[in-house]
Amino acid sequence: MRLLLHTCCGPCSVYPVKQLRESGYDVTGYFFNPNIHPYREFKHRLETLHEYAAQVKLELVTDSNYALEDFLLRALSFKGDRCRPCYEQRLRQTARYARNNAFSCFSTTLLVSPYQKHELIKEAASIIAEEEGIPFEYIDFRVGWQEGVTVSKEMGLYRQPYCGCIFSEKERYYKAGRGRS
Ligand code: SF4
């Protein structure tokens, strides 16, 4: 089974790639994350992913299209949780690439993080799979989160301190009322 694995970053790939390979999948990583801000952070995460992929001999497809404007338009115009259009943008592109390049199915490393909206990812990916005509392989990778953290540190991989978008960067560093006037 050829599986296209949407990869948000190197550290989050550690456990899913290992688990999928042990289950017999032929895994290819697919990087498409225009939500990441700023561009230097995007580049840093992509470089880290290449570093990881080289160490474990993971084939990687990289979409270097940094569609930040598209992501921001979707996030700002969406009435509701901005993570939904963020997941949808990334997973739809992954599903289309998988379908057009003879993969059997697709999945995502986003399913490993206890900090992501797991049920929302699962729901969005299932709808996209139906619409795009390619199976979504749902696996709850969260059981391997800690193992992924440990191994990624042993491998010396950069671990980012926020989810990725400019909004999550603000939420991490900005404290209302504590700015300088
Ligand atoms: S918090 Fe994370 S998942 Fe949600 S919109 Fe931002 S980058 Fe995307």
Side-chain angles (χ1 to χ4, degrees), residues 84-179:
R84 177 177 278 280
C86 179
Y87 295 143
E88 284 176 353
Q89 182 184 16
R90 294 185 280 168
L91 295 174
R92 188 171 298 281
Q93 175 131 335
T94 306
R96 286 181 178 168
Y97 188 92
R99 186 195 59 208
N100 295 338
N101 291 277
F103 284 87
S104 319
C105 54
F106 73 100
S107 193
T108 175
T109 57
L110 291 165
L111 293 169
V112 79
S113 172
Y115 302 107
Q116 294 291 334
K117 293 162 183 166
H118 194 90
E119 292 306 316
L120 188 53
I121 297 164
K122 184 180 174 186
E123 185 197 326
S126 301
I127 292 169
I128 288 167
E130 190 74 26
E131 289 174 351
E132 299 295 336
I134 178 151
F136 166 58
E137 197 64 20
Y138 170 72
I139 298 170
D140 189 348
F141 294 121
R142 288 176 295 185
V143 288
W145 167 251
Q146 195 50 52
E147 180 182 328
V149 171
T150 304
V151 174
S152 62
K153 285 181 179 172
E154 286 168 1
M155 293 174 90
L157 301 178
Y158 162 66
R159 298 187 56 82
Q160 59 269 13
Y162 61 100
C163 188
C165 67
I166 192 169
F167 312 106
S168 61
E169 197 261 6
K170 174 184 173 182
E171 283 161 8
R172 179 167 174 84
Y173 297 111
Y174 174 76
K175 298 285 180 277
R178 289 175 58 187

Side-chain angles (χ1 to χ4, degrees), residues 12-66:
C12 284
S13 304
V14 169
Y15 179 77
V17 169
K18 176 189 154 228
Q19 210 273 349
L20 287 165
R21 281 176 166 173
E22 285 176 359
S23 300
Y25 289 96
D26 176 5
V27 184
T28 297
Y30 184 70
F31 184 88
F32 175 67
N33 300 289
N35 53 308
I36 300 171
H37 176 92
Y39 183 62
R40 286 205 317 189
E41 176 71 19
F42 174 90
K43 291 260 290 178
H44 198 173
R45 292 189 194 189
L46 180 53
E47 283 160 11
T48 303
L49 178 62
H50 277 293
E51 193 185 321
Y52 159 75
Q55 288 193 50
V56 300
K57 297 185 173 30
L58 174 70
E59 191 178 333
L60 211 53
V61 176
T62 300
D63 188 318
S64 54
N65 171 28
Y66 185 51

